[in-house]
Amino acid sequence: MLSHTIRTNMPRLQTTYFGELDYSEGSVYQFPHGLPGFETEQAFVFLRQPHTEPLMFMQSLGNQQLCFILLPILVAAPRYQVDLDPEYVSELKLTAGCNPRIGEDILCAAILTASPGEPAGPTVNLMAPVVVNLKERIGMQVIQANSGHSHRHPLFTPEELAPCS
């Protein structure tokens, strides 16, 4: 009797920052409009690294060098309220008239920017969070123009950035 080993051939992704990764088709999230400035990048996988929690990484499938650093919105701003107008609700295939719950129905995360020499330290974009329908695996960057939030919200207070004496 011959023994057969069934090998599952998962797709592989070469990345600049994480090397070669296996992923399943079910872990791919579609961004039909891409992101502002990256409209042609429409498929992403989300990565977590235990040693960098709570940070997440949104890696493009089409561009191995394109990886966004994300922070869950409620970590960046614990009282944050995302406002989804009917157009966003429709595009994300969410139920009209229902208020989606962050962490249950949707992922809502802020893109983190850390530029060398920036006096304010790392910042997060609270004006345009990444919102993903977790069930349908569809996402977009949602502009919150009238929210009063900044696209360069400091992650730390000046006191937290003070050098050790």
Side-chain angles (χ1 to χ4, degrees), residues 88-104:
Y88 291 146
V89 169
S90 175
E91 288 187 39
L92 288 167
K93 297 185 180 179
L94 294 165
T95 305
C98 292
N99 190 19
R101 295 166 303 215
I102 295 174
E104 293 181 39

Side-chain angles (χ1 to χ4, degrees), residues 117-158:
E118 178 64 45
T123 62
V124 290
N125 184 345
L126 297 181
M127 183 186 288
V130 172
V131 177
V132 177
N133 178 331
L134 293 170
K135 180 180 176 189
E136 299 292 331
R137 295 189 322 268
I138 297 173
M140 64 189 313
Q141 193 168 12
V142 177
I143 309 295
Q144 306 282 282
N146 299 320
S147 69
H149 291 295
S150 170
H151 68 287
R152 295 182 54 88
H153 178 81
L155 193 54
F156 302 108
T157 65

Side-chain angles (χ1 to χ4, degrees), residues 32-47:
H33 306 290
L35 297 172
F38 302 95
E39 289 80 6
T40 60
E41 300 302 322
Q42 299 179 347
F44 292 87
V45 292
F46 289 86
L47 308 171

Side-chain angles (χ1 to χ4, degrees), residues 94-115:
L94 294 165
T95 305
C98 292
N99 190 19
R101 295 166 303 215
I102 295 174
E104 293 181 39
D105 304 312
I106 59 172
L107 164 70
C108 186
I111 296 177
L112 186 135
T113 302
S115 301

Side-chain angles (χ1 to χ4, degrees), residues 54-99:
L55 297 176
M56 299 177 288
F57 303 91
M58 192 171 95
Q59 174 65 53
S60 168
L61 289 184
N63 180 344
Q64 71 180 21
Q65 296 177 337
L66 183 61
C67 183
F68 295 96
I69 302 171
L70 304 178
L71 190 62
I73 203 81
L74 296 178
V75 172
R79 292 189 254 343
Y80 193 89
Q81 298 285 320
V82 65
D83 181 28
L84 298 176
D85 67 31
E87 179 184 335
Y88 291 146
V89 169
S90 175
E91 288 187 39
L92 288 167
K93 297 185 180 179
L94 294 165
T95 305
C98 292
N99 190 19

